[in-house]
Amino acid sequence: MSTQTLVHRAVGATLTWRDRVATLLRARDERGLSQSTEQALLVAGAVAVGTVIAGAVLLYVRGRLAEAGMSVGGP
C-alpha cells in the first residue's frame, strides 16, 4: 500500500470516529409527543370537526324543512 493510501485511510477513520463520538455525546431531543399520541389527537380533532359540520348541516336542513311546513323527527 502506498503512503498516500495509508494517509487517506487514517484521515477517513479519524473523521468517522470523531462523528460517531459526537453523535453519541449529543443529547437526545425527546421533546414533543409520541407518534401514537399525536395520531390520537389528530383523529379526535377530525371527529370533532366532522361532528360540528354534521350538526350545522342538520340544523340547516331542519330549519329549511320547518320553513316549508314539514316536521322532522328526532331530538
Side-chain angles (χ1 to χ4, degrees):
M1 236 187 265
S2 70
T3 306
Q4 184 179 11
T5 303
L6 288 174
V7 169
H8 287 186
R9 286 187 181 197
V11 169
T14 303
L15 292 176
T16 301
W17 178 81
R18 182 194 66 178
D19 290 343
R20 286 184 181 171
V21 169
T23 300
L24 290 174
L25 294 178
R26 190 177 312 130
R28 291 181 58 188
D29 184 13
E30 295 186 10
R31 294 175 294 167
L33 302 174
S34 69
Q35 187 174 3
S36 57
T37 304
E38 183 178 344
Q39 286 197 345
L41 289 174
L42 288 173
V43 168
V47 168
V49 169
T51 302
V52 168
I53 291 172
V57 169
L58 183 64
L59 288 174
Y60 174 78
V61 170
R62 283 187 177 172
R64 296 292 290 187
L65 288 174
E67 287 176 7
M70 301 176 162
S71 65
V72 178

